[in-house]
Amino acid sequence: MATHGARGRSGGRPTLEEVAARAGVGRGTVSRVINGSPRVSDATRAAVEAAVAELGYVPNTAARALAANRTDAIALVVPEPETRFFAEPYFSDMLRGVGAELSDTEMQLLLIFAGSDRERQRLAQYLAAHRVDGVLLVSVHADDPLPDLLAQLEIPAVISGPRSAAETLPSVDSDNYGGGRSAVEHLLARGRTQIAHITGRLDVYGAQRRVDGYRDALRDAGYEVDEGLIEPGDFTEEGGHRAMTDLLTRTPSLDAVFAGSDVMAAGARQALREVGRRIPEDVALVGYDDSAIARHMDPPLTSVRQPIEEMGRRMLDLLLTEIADRRPAVSRGLERRQVVLATELVGRRSS
């Protein structure tokens, strides 16, 4: 059987038109398949992919991007200082998930920090020039102007957790309410009655939902919620240490602590040790994230596992869908997608 190999009818490189003729579809359909659009049936996609393989067609990425007004690049934007990004396993796990999903595409990933006003202004100018096809926005605070800027610029975007219950952008998050609830239920089942909570930054919706889960678990078990046992933290080790110190000063009889991150739990552990409180004999300790920190602590830390790498993969999958169809959601008649993934409590010796 004759084969074209890597040459088309003209003797040069196969063209998009030749792929379309071989697959029995139009040129636009071939373009949609190559660009990863979801608006193609499985049978048509298979026919086009077979024609591409038979002809040895290689897309001209630069020309395709120019013609489609695309850059074949997406940005992972972190509105936090670089020091926090490299100190917290959450961010590296998220980046790992995004990178794994992106490896099957031709798109490039840009990592951009926007933790200061100057960095945000520079980022706004960069995005206004439409130098990326889409944005993944990680660690979003309630007053962050970046999501609204992306909407105004009509740049496809997905965020890691909604800013509020009324979020309009696509988001991927873990079940923060259920995670907070399971942490407290676990401690109650261990016979603990004075359970403190070190929160994350409360301008982060996920941190608010963990507090909601903490409160509801206590109420449903018949306990009054002592607001003096709730201490704001900031997701840092120093913040966890400071919060734990303040809690012990107010309520030295507390017998359990649920920290809103493993990093804060590490700080809380240090504060407990400094005053001679044993873990778990005197104070049981539970963290959140189930990061490497939890496994390597002494004693190993009970923690609520959220599937951070999977969150990164799902964020990218949503973003690629948004990029493939740039029409506004209203004109598509679609609701913005809010994906929530399950959490799981992992018990270890700290509780």
Side-chain angles (χ1 to χ4, degrees), residues 71 73-75 110 112 126-127 129-135 155-156 326:
T71 65
I74 63 171
L110 306 177
I112 301 176
Y126 184 83
L127 294 176
H130 289 273
R131 293 177 177 172
V132 296
D133 295 324
V135 171
I155 296 175
R326 286 174 174 266

Side-chain angles (χ1 to χ4, degrees), residues 74 93-109 136 308-321:
I74 63 171
D93 289 347
M94 180 70 70
L95 182 59
R96 189 177 300 113
V98 171
E101 193 73 7
L102 195 66
S103 63
D104 291 333
T105 76
E106 296 180 0
M107 303 189 80
Q108 298 297 314
L109 179 66
L136 298 170
I308 301 172
E309 286 192 37
E310 176 64 16
M311 288 166 62
R313 288 192 289 268
R314 294 290 291 275
M315 284 181 68
L316 182 64
D317 183 57
L318 271 182
L319 182 61
L320 292 178
T321 300

Side-chain angles (χ1 to χ4, degrees), residues 36-240:
S37 171
R39 296 182 294 125
V40 181
S41 70
D42 291 342
T44 298
R45 186 181 306 280
V48 171
E49 289 174 346
V52 167
E54 291 171 10
L55 293 172
Y57 174 73
V58 178
N60 185 331
T61 304
R64 188 175 77 242
L66 181 62
N69 193 26
R70 283 177 47 176
T71 65
D72 278 341
I74 63 171
L76 176 66
V77 176
V78 183
E80 301 284 356
E82 291 182 43
T83 51
R84 186 182 168 202
F85 179 89
F86 291 107
E88 294 190 30
Y90 173 88
F91 294 107
S92 58
D93 289 347
M94 180 70 70
L95 182 59
R96 189 177 300 113
V98 171
E101 193 73 7
L102 195 66
S103 63
D104 291 333
T105 76
E106 296 180 0
M107 303 189 80
Q108 298 297 314
L109 179 66
L110 306 177
L111 177 60
I112 301 176
F113 297 102
S116 67
D117 288 339
R118 183 178 179 182
E119 288 174 334
R120 280 190 288 271
Q121 290 172 1
R122 190 164 59 239
L123 174 62
Q125 295 173 349
Y126 184 83
L127 294 176
H130 289 273
R131 293 177 177 172
V132 296
D133 295 324
V135 171
L136 298 170
L137 193 53
V138 180
S139 186
V140 185
H141 302 275
D143 59 352
D144 196 320
L146 288 175
D148 291 334
L149 172 65
L150 292 167
Q152 291 169 9
L153 294 173
E154 296 186 343
I155 296 175
V158 177
I159 58 178
S160 65
R163 291 165 290 172
S164 70
E167 182 58 70
T168 56
L169 288 175
S171 70
V172 177
D173 203 3
S174 68
D175 180 7
N176 291 289
Y177 174 84
R181 189 180 180 98
S182 67
V184 176
E185 290 173 345
H186 169 81
L187 291 167
L188 290 170
R190 295 296 187 275
R192 309 293 171 151
T193 58
Q194 287 191 291
I195 302 171
H197 178 35
I198 299 174
T199 77
R201 288 186 55 170
L202 292 176
D203 60 347
V204 175
Y205 185 61
Q208 297 172 26
R209 294 298 289 153
R210 292 173 199 178
V211 178
D212 291 341
Y214 163 87
R215 287 193 174 106
D216 285 353
L218 288 173
R219 291 191 186 107
D220 289 350
Y223 291 89
E224 292 287 335
V225 177
D226 181 354
E227 295 297 326
L229 285 172
I230 301 175
E231 183 66 23
D234 58 2
F235 290 119
T236 69
E237 187 172 354
E238 295 78 11

Side-chain angles (χ1 to χ4, degrees), residues 18-35:
E18 288 172 341
V19 173
R22 175 63 66 92
V25 298
R27 186 181 188 280
T29 300
V30 174
S31 181
R32 282 193 291 275
V33 170
I34 292 173
N35 284 308

Side-chain angles (χ1 to χ4, degrees), residues 245-265:
T245 300
D246 290 345
L247 285 165
L248 288 169
T249 299
R250 281 202 306 271
T251 314
S253 60
L254 63 83
D255 60 6
V257 179
F258 162 44
S261 75
D262 293 344
V263 174
M264 290 195 298

